Amino acid sequence: MVASPPQRITIQTVRAYKQTGKRFAMLTAYDFLTATAFDRAGVPLLLVGDTLGIFVQGHDTTLPVTMDAMMYHCEIVARAAKQALVVGDLPFGTYHTLEAGIQNAATLVKSTGVQAVKVEGRQDDLIQRLTQLGVPVMGHLGLTPQSVHQLGGNKVQARTVEAAEQLLQDALTLERAGIFALVLEAVPTAVAQEVTAALTIPTIGIGAGPHCDGQVLVAADLLGLHDGHSPKFAKRYAHLQPQIATAAEQFIEEVDRGLYPSPDHSYDWTLK
Ligand code: KIV
């Protein structure tokens, strides 16, 4: 019997999660092997986040990420994903005008194979135009890291009644503009709960408590790939950084002692 190909996750699948009350996961991915592993594990949404500026390129913020870098990583992740819906971030400064945003979003979808883009903040006109043009858009409110300097740091947002009300109104406006899902980052649990209840599209929380429809983590936090500071919400499900260091140390030692390569890891010495 021929195995049927894996079912591709679409934005309709994601919208249906909200209607059926199914909680779902999203993970960031930037490279082929990690994206393949997450896709095979059944992660329905992969985000090629501009956090690649921090976790791939070693910057302090997401601001230096270029369109070229995003194109490079989106193309790799889209090639790896057989099942997951792949969302590519529009980096800082690439949607500063409506024309630039349309051009860059269309290029990302056309040239890399991602199925959707994500933009931060109240990009109402851009979202409306892109969805009219057939480009699905994911929104992002709360802590929007591309505005780190405007916000005065990576701080929890919507902590007052007024700010929480504003966030709710912003979320409703983005929903009307056409987003298919909304990332809520670093907002109080009760605020995320209220926004989630008010929207007909799913919310995806990161540091937004358990009431969001979905949850997203950055791969480097999930896997314990760094030993830097992690925010409170970033649960580590593995601790790969020390394992990688241990493997490298063992390799150094075995080379030093002449133990590697052993006969098991060498081709025959004799010539025919
Ligand atoms: O860029 C990113 O990885 C993100 C997530 C933190 C949601 O936007």
Side-chain angles (χ1 to χ4, degrees):
M1 206 172 81
V2 181
S4 52
Q7 199 75 41
R8 176 64 86 170
I9 305 290
T10 64
I11 65 161
Q12 286 72 23
T13 323
V14 178
R15 283 178 184 276
Y17 289 156
K18 177 84 177 191
Q19 278 136 32
T20 58
K22 179 176 165 47
R23 292 172 197 265
F24 61 95
M26 177 163 87
L27 284 171
T28 67
Y30 321 109
D31 69 273
F32 188 80
L33 294 181
T34 314
T36 299
F38 289 165
D39 189 61
R40 285 188 187 157
V43 178
L45 283 110
L46 294 179
L47 172 65
V48 188
D50 59 1
T51 43
L52 72 85
I54 298 169
F55 297 110
V56 177
Q57 298 176 331
H59 295 294
D60 288 338
T61 71
T62 60
L63 303 185
V65 176
T66 62
M67 200 56 204
D68 281 349
M70 191 51 72
M71 299 273 289
Y72 176 79
H73 290 282
C74 280
E75 203 250 324
I76 289 169
V77 172
R79 192 172 326 123
K82 304 288 177 250
Q83 205 165 347
L85 179 83
V86 182
V87 183
D89 252 339
L90 281 190
F92 175 68
T94 65
Y95 51 106
H96 52 297
T97 64
L98 191 55
E99 291 69 29
I102 293 169
Q103 187 63 52
N104 285 318
T107 304
L108 205 60
V109 171
K110 188 194 276 207
S111 307
T112 70
V114 299
Q115 287 98 22
V117 299
K118 177 166 80 60
V119 293
E120 294 187 4
R122 281 287 301 274
Q123 305 298 330
D124 315 2
D125 293 345
L126 178 61
I127 291 162
Q128 208 169 7
R129 195 73 191 100
L130 285 176
T131 49
Q132 276 167 0
L133 292 169
V135 177
V137 185
M138 179 178 281
H140 187 156
L141 291 176
L143 171 56
T144 45
Q146 292 178 11
S147 305
V148 59
H149 298 314
Q150 185 76 23
L151 299 173
N154 290 322
K155 299 174 178 165
V156 178
Q157 301 296 305
R159 300 187 83 161
T160 63
V161 173
E162 294 75 30
E165 178 55 29
Q166 183 62 56
L167 182 77
L168 175 61
Q169 293 312 321
D170 290 346
L172 289 166
T173 305
L174 293 190
E175 176 175 66
R176 279 194 297 274
I179 57 170
F180 71 95
L182 175 65
V183 169
L184 286 177
E185 179 164 354
V187 297
T189 298
V191 176
Q193 183 174 21
E194 196 184 347
V195 173
T196 300
L199 297 183
T200 60
I201 52 154
T203 57
I204 307 175
I206 177 160
H211 303 295
C212 293
D213 302 295
Q215 297 290 334
V216 53
L217 275 181
V218 168
D221 287 333
L222 175 101
L223 300 174
L225 274 172
H226 65 92
D227 55 8
H229 166 77
S230 281
K232 181 179 175 187
F233 60 78
K235 181 170 176 187
R236 293 189 181 204
Y237 286 81
H239 296 85
L240 298 189
Q241 209 260 0
Q243 289 188 36
I244 292 170
T246 302
E249 282 161 15
Q250 281 176 5
F251 180 58
I252 293 168
E253 192 187 327
E254 290 195 6
V255 169
D256 185 53
R257 295 172 58 199
L259 298 175
Y260 179 85
S262 68
D264 283 352
H265 295 99
S266 305
Y267 297 111
D268 279 348
W269 287 37
T270 49
L271 297 178
K272 289 198 176 101

PDB file of all heavy atoms in Angstrom, residues 28 47 49-51 89 118 140 183 185 206 216 218, ligand 1:
ATOM      1  N   THR A  28       9.911  28.284  16.704  1.00  0.00           N
ATOM      2  CA  THR A  28      10.763  28.936  15.715  1.00  0.00           C
ATOM      3  C   THR A  28      11.707  27.892  15.130  1.00  0.00           C
ATOM      4  O   THR A  28      12.064  26.916  15.785  1.00  0.00           O
ATOM      5  CB  THR A  28      11.601  30.079  16.320  1.00  0.00           C
ATOM      6  OG1 THR A  28      12.549  29.535  17.239  1.00  0.00           O
ATOM      7  CG2 THR A  28      10.724  31.121  16.996  1.00  0.00           C
ATOM      8  N   LEU A  47       7.784  29.040  12.774  1.00  0.00           N
ATOM      9  CA  LEU A  47       8.008  30.475  12.559  1.00  0.00           C
ATOM     10  C   LEU A  47       9.490  30.716  12.301  1.00  0.00           C
ATOM     11  O   LEU A  47      10.326  30.393  13.154  1.00  0.00           O
ATOM     12  CB  LEU A  47       7.570  31.261  13.807  1.00  0.00           C
ATOM     13  CG  LEU A  47       7.925  32.749  13.805  1.00  0.00           C
ATOM     14  CD1 LEU A  47       7.168  33.499  12.697  1.00  0.00           C
ATOM     15  CD2 LEU A  47       7.620  33.379  15.167  1.00  0.00           C
ATOM     16  N   GLY A  49      11.453  33.181  12.721  1.00  0.00           N
ATOM     17  CA  GLY A  49      11.357  34.452  13.433  1.00  0.00           C
ATOM     18  C   GLY A  49      12.597  35.303  13.213  1.00  0.00           C
ATOM     19  O   GLY A  49      13.690  34.779  12.956  1.00  0.00           O
ATOM     20  N   ASP A  50      12.404  36.620  13.386  1.00  0.00           N
ATOM     21  CA  ASP A  50      13.594  37.474  13.294  1.00  0.00           C
ATOM     22  C   ASP A  50      14.456  37.352  14.544  1.00  0.00           C
ATOM     23  O   ASP A  50      15.519  37.980  14.636  1.00  0.00           O
ATOM     24  CB  ASP A  50      13.215  38.931  12.987  1.00  0.00           C
ATOM     25  CG  ASP A  50      12.306  39.540  14.027  1.00  0.00           C
ATOM     26  OD1 ASP A  50      11.966  38.859  15.015  1.00  0.00           O
ATOM     27  OD2 ASP A  50      11.922  40.714  13.861  1.00  0.00           O
ATOM     28  N   THR A  51      14.049  36.507  15.502  1.00  0.00           N
ATOM     29  CA  THR A  51      14.942  36.134  16.601  1.00  0.00           C
ATOM     30  C   THR A  51      16.174  35.408  16.070  1.00  0.00           C
ATOM     31  O   THR A  51      17.115  35.175  16.824  1.00  0.00           O
ATOM     32  CB  THR A  51      14.221  35.226  17.622  1.00  0.00           C
ATOM     33  OG1 THR A  51      13.446  34.259  16.914  1.00  0.00           O
ATOM     34  CG2 THR A  51      13.348  36.016  18.558  1.00  0.00           C
ATOM     35  N   ASP A  89       8.903  35.988   9.328  1.00  0.00           N
ATOM     36  CA  ASP A  89       8.823  37.353   9.869  1.00  0.00           C
ATOM     37  C   ASP A  89       9.268  38.374   8.832  1.00  0.00           C
ATOM     38  O   ASP A  89      10.261  38.150   8.129  1.00  0.00           O
ATOM     39  CB  ASP A  89       9.795  37.484  11.060  1.00  0.00           C
ATOM     40  CG  ASP A  89       9.091  37.560  12.391  1.00  0.00           C
ATOM     41  OD1 ASP A  89       7.897  37.914  12.428  1.00  0.00           O
ATOM     42  OD2 ASP A  89       9.746  37.260  13.400  1.00  0.00           O
ATOM     43  N   LYS A 118       4.613  37.362   9.114  1.00  0.00           N
ATOM     44  CA  LYS A 118       4.217  37.955  10.402  1.00  0.00           C
ATOM     45  C   LYS A 118       4.751  39.382  10.468  1.00  0.00           C
ATOM     46  O   LYS A 118       5.886  39.631  10.063  1.00  0.00           O
ATOM     47  CB  LYS A 118       4.745  37.143  11.591  1.00  0.00           C
ATOM     48  CG  LYS A 118       4.418  37.776  12.947  1.00  0.00           C
ATOM     49  CD  LYS A 118       4.627  36.816  14.103  1.00  0.00           C
ATOM     50  CE  LYS A 118       6.035  36.669  14.548  1.00  0.00           C
ATOM     51  NZ  LYS A 118       6.693  37.919  15.013  1.00  0.00           N
ATOM     52  N   HIS A 140       1.178  40.434  15.666  1.00  0.00           N
ATOM     53  CA  HIS A 140       2.044  40.299  16.856  1.00  0.00           C
ATOM     54  C   HIS A 140       1.862  41.553  17.700  1.00  0.00           C
ATOM     55  O   HIS A 140       2.208  42.648  17.265  1.00  0.00           O
ATOM     56  CB  HIS A 140       3.499  40.125  16.386  1.00  0.00           C
ATOM     57  CG  HIS A 140       4.475  39.819  17.479  1.00  0.00           C
ATOM     58  ND1 HIS A 140       5.687  39.170  17.236  1.00  0.00           N
ATOM     59  CD2 HIS A 140       4.466  40.061  18.805  1.00  0.00           C
ATOM     60  CE1 HIS A 140       6.358  39.042  18.363  1.00  0.00           C
ATOM     61  NE2 HIS A 140       5.642  39.586  19.340  1.00  0.00           N
ATOM     62  N   VAL A 183       0.023  36.629  17.606  1.00  0.00           N
ATOM     63  CA  VAL A 183       0.984  36.361  18.688  1.00  0.00           C
ATOM     64  C   VAL A 183       0.798  37.429  19.764  1.00  0.00           C
ATOM     65  O   VAL A 183       0.744  38.621  19.465  1.00  0.00           O
ATOM     66  CB  VAL A 183       2.437  36.386  18.159  1.00  0.00           C
ATOM     67  CG1 VAL A 183       3.441  36.370  19.314  1.00  0.00           C
ATOM     68  CG2 VAL A 183       2.693  35.208  17.219  1.00  0.00           C
ATOM     69  N   GLU A 185       2.746  38.607  23.068  1.00  0.00           N
ATOM     70  CA  GLU A 185       4.019  38.391  23.772  1.00  0.00           C
ATOM     71  C   GLU A 185       4.088  39.229  25.045  1.00  0.00           C
ATOM     72  O   GLU A 185       3.839  40.447  25.025  1.00  0.00           O
ATOM     73  CB  GLU A 185       5.188  38.751  22.833  1.00  0.00           C
ATOM     74  CG  GLU A 185       6.546  38.571  23.498  1.00  0.00           C
ATOM     75  CD  GLU A 185       7.711  38.529  22.526  1.00  0.00           C
ATOM     76  OE1 GLU A 185       7.502  38.520  21.297  1.00  0.00           O
ATOM     77  OE2 GLU A 185       8.862  38.489  23.019  1.00  0.00           O
ATOM     78  N   ILE A 206       3.254  33.874  24.075  1.00  0.00           N
ATOM     79  CA  ILE A 206       4.639  33.645  24.522  1.00  0.00           C
ATOM     80  C   ILE A 206       4.808  34.577  25.718  1.00  0.00           C
ATOM     81  O   ILE A 206       4.802  35.800  25.578  1.00  0.00           O
ATOM     82  CB  ILE A 206       5.669  33.857  23.381  1.00  0.00           C
ATOM     83  CG1 ILE A 206       7.095  33.687  23.911  1.00  0.00           C
ATOM     84  CG2 ILE A 206       5.491  35.179  22.629  1.00  0.00           C
ATOM     85  CD1 ILE A 206       8.134  33.402  22.835  1.00  0.00           C
ATOM     86  N   VAL A 216       3.828  29.547  21.682  1.00  0.00           N
ATOM     87  CA  VAL A 216       5.042  29.520  20.858  1.00  0.00           C
ATOM     88  C   VAL A 216       6.256  29.646  21.766  1.00  0.00           C
ATOM     89  O   VAL A 216       6.219  30.347  22.774  1.00  0.00           O
ATOM     90  CB  VAL A 216       5.039  30.649  19.787  1.00  0.00           C
ATOM     91  CG1 VAL A 216       4.793  32.014  20.348  1.00  0.00           C
ATOM     92  CG2 VAL A 216       6.339  30.639  18.965  1.00  0.00           C
ATOM     93  N   VAL A 218      10.723  29.887  21.420  1.00  0.00           N
ATOM     94  CA  VAL A 218      11.911  30.011  20.579  1.00  0.00           C
ATOM     95  C   VAL A 218      12.705  28.708  20.723  1.00  0.00           C
ATOM     96  O   VAL A 218      12.911  28.205  21.839  1.00  0.00           O
ATOM     97  CB  VAL A 218      12.742  31.229  21.042  1.00  0.00           C
ATOM     98  CG1 VAL A 218      14.117  31.239  20.412  1.00  0.00           C
ATOM     99  CG2 VAL A 218      11.986  32.528  20.740  1.00  0.00           C
TER     100      VAL A 218
HETATM  101  O1  KIV B   1      10.863  36.304  16.056  1.00  0.00           O
HETATM  102  C1  KIV B   1      10.368  35.469  16.829  1.00  0.00           C
HETATM  103  O2  KIV B   1      10.944  34.421  17.108  1.00  0.00           O
HETATM  104  C2  KIV B   1       9.055  35.767  17.386  1.00  0.00           C
HETATM  105  C3  KIV B   1       8.555  34.887  18.480  1.00  0.00           C
HETATM  106  C4  KIV B   1       9.201  35.267  19.758  1.00  0.00           C
HETATM  107  C5  KIV B   1       7.083  34.898  18.563  1.00  0.00           C
HETATM  108  O3  KIV B   1       8.435  36.712  16.998  1.00  0.00           O
END
